[in-house]
Amino acid sequence: MELNDGNLQTLTEYLRKTLNPDPTVRRPAEKFLESVEGNQNYPLLLLTLLEKSQDNVIRVCAAVTFKNYIKRNWRIVEDEPNKISDADRTAIKANIINLMLSSPEQIQKQLSDAISIIGREDFPQKWPDLLTEMVTRFRSGDFHIINGVLRTAHSLFKRYRHEFKSNELWTEIKLVLDTFALPLTELFKATIDLCQTHANDVSALKVLFSSLTLISKLFYSLNFQDLPEFFEDNMETWMTNFHGLLTLDNKLLQTDDEEEAGLLELLKSQICDNAALYAQKYDEEFQPYLPRFVTAIWGLLVSTGQEVKYDLLVSNAIQFLASVCERPHYKHLFEDQNTLTSICEKVIVPNMEFRSADEEAFEDNSEEYIRRDLEGSDIDTRRRAACDLVRGLCKFFEGPVTAIFSGYVNSMLTEYAKNPGQNWKHKDAAIYLVTSLASKAQTQKHGITQANELVNLTEFFVNHILPDLKSSNVNEFPVLKADAIKYVMIFRSQLPKEQLLQAVPLLITHLQAESTVEHTYAAHALERLFTMRGPNNATLITSAEMAPFTEQLLTNLFKALSLPGSAENEYIMKAIMRSFSLLQEAIVPYIPSLIGQLTHKLLLVSKNPSKPHFNHYLFESLCLSVRITCKANPATVSSFEEALFPVFTEILQNDVQEFLPYVFQVMSLLLEIHSNSIPASYMALFPHLLQPILWERTGNIPPLVRLLQAYLEKGGAAIATSAADKIPGLLGVFQKLIASKANDHQGFYLLNSIIENMPPESITQYRRQIFILLFQRLQNSKTTKFIKSFLVFVNLYCAKYGAIALQEIFDSIQTKMFGMVLEKIIIPEVQKVSGAVEKKICAVGIIKILTECPAMMDTEYTKLWTPLLQALIGLFELPEDDSIPDDEHFIDIEDAPGYQTAFSQLAFAGRKEHDPIGDAVGNPKILLAQSLHKLSTACPGRVPSMLSTSLNADALKFLQGYLQAANVQLV
Amino acid sequence: MPTNNVVDQRISKFKNKGKDLAKLREKRISECVELRKAQKNENFLKRRNITLSSLPDEEALSPENDTVGLHYRIEDIIRDVNSKDREAQTRGCQAARKLLSKGRDPPLKEIIDAGLLSPFVSFLAMDDESTLQFEAAWALTNIASGTSWHTQQVVEHGAVPAFINLLASPVLHISEQAVWALGNIAGDGAAYRDILIECNVIPALALMVQNYGYLQVGYVRNLTWTLSNLCRNKNPCPPLSAVQQMLPALIQLLHLSDKDILSDACWAISYLSDGSNDRIDVVVKTGIVPRLVQLMNSKELSIVTPALRSIGNIVSGSNLHTQMAIDAGALNVLPNLLRHPKPTVQKEAAWALSNIAAGPCKQIQQLITCGLLPPLVEVLRNGDFKTQKEAVWAVTNFTSGGTVEQVVKLVQSGALEAIINLLQVKDAKVILVLLEAVNNIFMAAEKLGETEKLCLLIEELGGLERLEVLQNHPNEMVYQSAHDLIQKYFNDVVQVDATQNLFQTSDVKKTFEF
């Protein structure tokens, strides 16, 4: 591509087309540009256009296109072709600084970004003169140019704030410091002087202050990794000037905007960060300056207003004080009673006030308000910063600070009492202050767990919280109501039980409040109270104690779901779930009406699932309804099926992916309740459950396996007779699962159920193939997890079909296979099997091999007899071997059986542990003794001789113990 | 006016590299680029002789003569030095020496450019003209104290063999001056240091040490300093044979009581022990470890610093080396040093501790028994940032190698709270190392079945919130670690995410073999 007018013209046309809203015009133009961008001179054409085009739109468009081009192509990736010719690279680097500096701001920004992308790759080695070129512009005196340079420098250097120390990085920083630090310092001083010269020229000041902000940001980046020698030597200059700027005010720079931070605020905020950086990392060197900064920042806080635009500055400034006041060697700066009082009065209290912005959020943006207030996403807010400062001060001055605030709390409450309608915000602040003063440690699960002993929480509750909760009009002063509810909730572990019981019916009443925040808080508080544990780990509040309120509670919770804004309120749904779980059989009378409401809700949300937590708790509530009702009367299961199946069918038909795992779990729960038969409605669904597409989604696998297990348990015989053609499909699922390291244990769950529940003849023809698949996997990728599951399966097979059947099928696949599996897998690995049921299965299987398999007695397998017995005794007596080979450590945690966060497991759909051996074998050790006895009587003399020749002494001792306990002797 | 100290480049790495954490452990190996000012309490690489403390040369010191030199111009010096008259030569040489000894900006380059180095070096050989010999030695000493270039000029004019010969001078202040000059040359760097070693400077110096009883204390101080410079610098380290030759002399010096001598001797040991395990081995085999521990407990900062550095190097060696330091009582001294008023001492002590904590659990147990946990937690909480950084390594190493019981002990000592507080520190690497410690503590809790309890404790201490904030950290690894911890331990709210399977076996031809 030549650099000529023709090409410039073409490019201009295509650029213009890329702005066309019509995709049939825009897309081909974009494609064209992409197709030519590999040509030499393409970037230079763009640069020419952005500099010289007559059309401003084209200039900006060329700039953006250029930046994106650089972003995509500048990096040279190893083994891939260089996408920009060296000549173009050199030309770009030679011109871009000048171009950037002489362009209008809109274009300047794009070019500045491009420079930092290039710089990230090329600086310093391949762009050695970049910095010097930039630094020389400092002397230009033109602050439009200077700010361009500073902005570019900032985007180049800001990565120093988060990258790890490395020699490469530090070499670069050193180079930057050598070239940049001194000119930057000179510029800083000169800019400050100019601010004085132009103190009355607002437009000049604006430019100068944005320079100062950028300079302060650069200071932060350059000082982040370590304190550079240059800045240590020049600390006086920088800190004195920073201090001066912190205390400076200029009417001309004040903005009218209430929301957006002005230049002064941005600058001071950055200076607070710089001071905090030095205080944290370079304390030894910064110590002489620190007290001055404390005073200045404190002064700043006292004089800064309530507007939102000051929020960042104020919260940065308070956080600075909070971090300093905790340090023992600065304690003295805060010690004086007047200082403390003044900080409490002028810094903390004003920043705890409920502002109009908070009020707006409370009313119009309740979700955001709740997230901030309840879930702690308030990190950068003033209230939060003030709270942290209270906590910091309490470290050394808990007594005095508590005393000072007690006075404030009282006076604020008095103000409120005088005229609640006018002064309700005073009470809000008082409650907030008490909360922040009293809470020393907090968790979601328990609320406040450690409180300031100097604050009497119960007294405050009785005198100031309870009256609000009791007020007859739930819709009056909703903020104070929400405060009162929150107080109960977070101090629940600190308040006596009788107070909590007193609060419960009041909270139930507040579920009816119109305010979303208020009824949400009420639901949340109830939910939290219901999870509290009393002595003996029972719930603190019992179902009996709730009896008088049960109906009201359930009614109000479901009514609250119909309040505006709360149709899918997760807090309410969680409270429903928790209430069911607490009340247990007390809910049974209400279920017929509630189940209708729940299924109706389910139908609605399944159209467009958008609140995952809400949906989850909805399904949990359904499970609870089923469990609790059917526990009392299993026959009611059919009425649930009647209510739920129509909705479930819709969900399955519409393939609502988010809900399928839930549906499978609820169906499993329902099916498991049936006594040993399988209703036709389930059988009709069976073929659909084997569809490969369902098994492609990992979240479906655990619940589907469980559902198939339930089918097999209840209807193994029915499947064998009426759906025998589906058996290959079922085994196909097993084969798919077994092939995956992540899901193989699920495959074994399925296989074990097949072996256990299907009539033997129905699977005879598939057995050999099943084992071949297992052996192939064992050969190709043997993992500890697979071996553990394999051992359980092999022994279950043995327990079910007998040892001879096992030996014969193994040896029919390959000669001496049985011996190899015993020697290489069972004997060395059985110690790794975990779980009581799994161990029992292995024990029974091995006992059968030892005592019911003739091949073990008269072939070359005989040599494995004692080692196998020894392994079995080891399984009984030794601790589980939880070692894992080194090369398996990388396997993800998700691969471990039992760890199932990947799918949405329902806590209340839980399945009882299944024991296929069951009561048939009470104590496997006794079974071993008895079986050995039987064997020894069949072939007298052989067993004792095998034992005495090679069983080790410890094992023998244990074995004798078993024989004694079983009261048998070997002959 | 000594040249700026070259930044101390200590090799330090954690031992037991085989552990999983090795990739995280900071390998502070040699040649680190530094942004900071050089350490202030390090000993000097080169020194200029301005006034004489130990030399008994009354004449040179007499005030009436003292002013003479300063009125001399370079041209006068050139004239005098190049004359044939011994007296004029002496006068010129002395004047040059005085110019070179004046307070600020001595005219090193002017003297070199004037071509005076050749005559000065030739004067060194004039055993019958002791005054001239002495003045020339002094002048050359001061030139050698300049930059590398200055030192290079002195060496290239053949001063090295001449100075080594002067060590044997019967006139003690001349031999002392030679010691000094050689110290400056050795201090220039590994190359000149090794040239001196090849010229057999060590046996000559060692002989002087053996006879220290006959020497003035100032002489012995110079001697020790020169020896320390011969131990100094890396890439390469001084040859092992030379080290073996120097060690007996240094051991002897370490048993004296003069604080300057002890300080420089300790620095020498600290250089020798700053290296691979075989280097450390040579040092500890001399049996000096108990004495170093004793000196680490000295009241003099100038002794404590290098003694502590030496012990720190030793415990970075093998487990056996560490055990020797422990057996010598290092763990009894470290608590005091962790509470030392000087942050730099605290930092070095914490560094030593971090290496002991990287050892086997038996040594970790000794660390607990000797009461190191409370001061460790104190520095984590309130230490200067440099110290906190080392303490963080100590905690992470401790949690990665300690037994479950030991980790529990650490948590009970308040370390967890301190760790959590530090998660807001402005240093990505430190945060990553802290997250590793948190992860290790979780693994211990899992073994005890107390994961849930730990989750609550961490949440109570504000740790969960810190972790949540770290999920927004711009550093990818920090973000990922924080995210993983939350996912693994704090994610109790269950998440909601988002033809026929074939049952057939392929032909089985190959034999199964497990």
Side-chain angles (χ1 to χ4, degrees), chain A residues 307-333:
Chain A
E307 291 83 355
V308 174
K309 67 175 168 180
Y310 299 124
D311 282 7
L312 182 65
L313 172 60
V314 168
S315 104
N316 271 355
I318 299 181
Q319 295 292 4
F320 173 81
L321 291 185
S323 72
V324 173
C325 75
E326 285 185 357
R327 299 190 174 205
H329 55 284
Y330 294 124
K331 191 180 151 189
H332 65 276
L333 295 174

Side-chain angles (χ1 to χ4, degrees), chain A residues 796-812:
Chain A
L796 180 72
Y797 188 93
C798 178
K800 172 100 184 171
Y801 292 106
I804 299 175
L806 184 72
Q807 179 247 321
E808 283 176 358
I809 197 166
F810 277 28
D811 285 344
S812 77

Side-chain angles (χ1 to χ4, degrees), chain B residues 79-304:
Chain B
R79 188 198 59 225
D80 281 357
V81 167
N82 289 329
S83 80
K84 296 275 180 269
D85 177 26
R86 286 281 181 265
E87 219 165 285
Q89 284 175 329
T90 307
R91 211 168 44 236
C93 201
Q94 190 179 58
R97 179 267 291 174
K98 286 183 177 173
L99 271 180
L100 290 168
S101 308
K102 76 174 174 142
R104 303 174 64 217
D105 296 328
L108 302 185
K109 184 159 191 315
E110 289 81 347
I111 299 282
I112 295 169
D113 290 345
L116 288 167
L117 293 196
S118 288
F120 285 175
V121 171
S122 67
F123 295 156
L124 293 182
M126 296 183 176
D127 291 339
D128 47 349
E129 291 288 338
S130 64
T131 311
L132 181 55
Q133 206 176 24
F134 174 64
E135 292 293 352
W138 188 344
L140 287 168
T141 300
N142 285 0
I143 291 171
S145 77
T147 64
S148 261
W149 182 80
H150 296 129
T151 313
Q152 187 191 355
Q153 305 312 308
V154 173
V155 173
E156 285 177 357
H157 281 85
V160 170
F163 273 126
I164 291 180
N165 284 337
L166 278 188
L167 289 175
S169 167
V171 186
L172 279 181
H173 63 258
I174 293 180
S175 111
E176 184 184 354
Q177 196 60 61
V179 168
W180 191 325
L182 291 167
N184 277 341
I185 294 168
D188 185 70
Y192 282 163
R193 177 200 66 202
D194 288 347
I195 287 179
L196 292 183
I197 290 171
E198 274 164 34
C199 295
N200 272 323
V201 73
I202 294 174
L205 294 172
L207 190 66
M208 301 306 294
V209 174
Q210 270 175 32
N211 297 319
Y212 75 89
Y214 303 101
L215 303 173
Q216 302 252 354
V217 65
Y219 192 121
V220 186
R221 285 176 188 155
N222 272 327
L223 197 53
T224 315
W225 174 74
T226 297
L227 276 171
S228 81
N229 267 357
L230 285 165
C231 297
R232 197 170 189 162
N233 288 313
K234 306 183 155 183
N235 295 324
C237 298
L240 265 180
S241 56
V243 174
Q244 301 276 20
Q245 283 179 312
M246 282 188 283
L247 273 169
L250 289 169
I251 303 304
Q252 205 171 4
L253 293 167
L254 278 170
H255 286 91
L256 301 183
S257 57
D258 180 75
K259 84 175 167 77
D260 295 336
I261 294 173
L262 286 174
S263 172
D264 279 331
C266 282
W267 279 117
I269 296 292
S270 79
Y271 303 141
L272 296 181
S273 55
D274 175 6
S276 54
N277 284 1
D278 55 327
R279 298 263 159 184
I280 298 174
D281 212 48
V282 173
V283 172
V284 297
K285 282 212 171 115
T286 60
I288 196 60
V289 177
R291 175 62 178 162
L292 288 171
V293 170
Q294 201 179 20
L295 291 170
M296 194 165 88
N297 211 6
S298 158
K299 289 195 171 46
E300 295 293 339
L301 181 65
S302 63
I303 298 172
V304 172

Side-chain angles (χ1 to χ4, degrees), chain A residues 366-375 517 520-521 571:
Chain A
S366 49
E367 269 184 53
E368 172 66 19
Y369 184 91
I370 293 167
R371 197 157 42 240
R372 267 205 325 244
D373 191 43
L374 223 48
E375 296 168 13
V517 176
T520 302
Y521 278 23
Y571 289 95

Side-chain angles (χ1 to χ4, degrees), chain B residues 480-492:
Chain B
Q480 196 60 48
S481 305
H483 178 79
D484 291 350
L485 278 171
I486 290 182
Q487 283 299 310
K488 189 159 171 201
Y489 296 111
F490 293 95
N491 213 6
D492 59 354

Side-chain angles (χ1 to χ4, degrees), chain A residues 233 384 444-445 449 662 692, chain B residues 37 452 459-460 465 496:
Chain A
D233 290 340
R384 174 51 189 275
Q444 280 293 321
K445 190 163 178 186
T449 52
Y662 291 122
Chain B
K37 249 187 191 340
E452 200 181 339
E459 193 184 347
E460 281 191 326
E465 210 164 74
V496 182

